[in-house]
Amino acid sequence: MLGKLAKLAAICTVAGLLAGCSGGAGLFGGGSGGGLFSRDGADERREARREANRQAAIEEGLLPDPNRESIFDLFTNSDDPNSTVEVNRYLWNASLEILNFMPVEAADPFSGVIQFGYGTPPGGRTAYRATVFVQDPALEARSLRVSVQSRNGAVSRDVARQIEDAILTRARQLRIRDASL
């Protein structure tokens, strides 16, 4: 073991002496000689490490995949399930149909949230706004939560429950329609 350490020390000493004779480039390069640890090699290693980190982030779904064609590729199950949309499409579409009198302010299919702005229902006088949260890919009542507000504040839970029931009913109709095709 001691012999190996002595050999390693001798090699480092010789390399240091040779680097010192390289015309002022020193051990780390910087001159015209390049040195033992040139900056070009460090830059290449750093760039390779950056590219490996970028590829890992794409695989984990943290960065968009440059090979995707469009947003609709997210709805296919050909990729990692962590990067596909996991909301029930019937609940999503039924929510948009039932609350079509309200303008959509924001929609995020990744989290399953649709935020609607103030709108007055047909035949009504009070303006409402709503937030729909599709929590699960299953077509079940526990997969859907609706929060409704008027300009005067929150409305009763019964109103929100009636809207949830209407959305669930329409979602089941859409599913039955697609099954019969």
Side-chain angles (χ1 to χ4, degrees):
M1 181 74 178
L2 189 60
K4 289 183 180 179
L5 288 175
K7 286 182 185 178
L8 181 61
I11 291 173
C12 287
T13 304
V14 171
L17 290 173
L18 288 175
C21 296
S22 65
L27 189 60
F28 296 99
S32 60
L36 189 59
F37 299 103
S38 71
R39 289 185 182 161
D40 294 336
D43 289 341
E44 289 173 8
R45 287 190 302 275
R46 190 176 309 119
E47 187 60 35
R49 194 169 41 244
R50 267 193 212 126
E51 181 61 25
N53 289 341
R54 190 173 83 62
Q55 287 298 326
I58 289 172
E59 290 173 7
E60 291 177 18
L62 301 174
L63 288 176
D65 188 354
N67 298 326
R68 286 195 186 271
E69 296 295 323
S70 71
I71 187 122
F72 298 107
D73 291 341
L74 294 173
F75 291 98
T76 63
N77 288 329
S78 61
D79 290 337
D80 181 18
N82 293 327
S83 65
T84 58
V85 178
E86 294 290 334
V87 298
N88 187 288
R89 70 179 183 158
Y90 298 113
L91 289 173
W92 186 270
N93 291 332
S95 299
L96 293 172
E97 284 184 26
I98 295 297
L99 300 173
N100 66 356
F101 63 91
M102 296 180 192
V104 175
E105 289 184 345
D108 184 11
F110 296 103
S111 63
V113 176
I114 308 172
Q115 290 181 331
F116 293 92
Y118 283 103
T120 306
R125 287 183 268 151
T126 306
Y128 297 98
R129 72 176 180 177
T131 301
V132 176
F133 183 36
V134 181
Q135 299 173 334
D136 196 76
L139 180 54
E140 299 174 348
R142 65 181 175 86
S143 301
L144 179 69
R145 293 289 172 257
V146 177
S147 171
V148 184
Q149 292 181 335
S150 69
R151 294 196 190 272
N152 298 329
V155 298
S156 69
R157 180 67 189 141
D158 291 336
V159 173
R161 196 160 283 141
Q162 288 174 353
I163 293 172
E164 287 176 1
D165 290 341
I167 291 171
L168 285 165
T169 301
R170 182 61 184 146
R172 289 181 187 114
Q173 290 171 350
L174 292 172
R175 185 171 145 218
I176 290 169
R177 184 193 68 194
D178 284 355
S180 65
L181 291 178

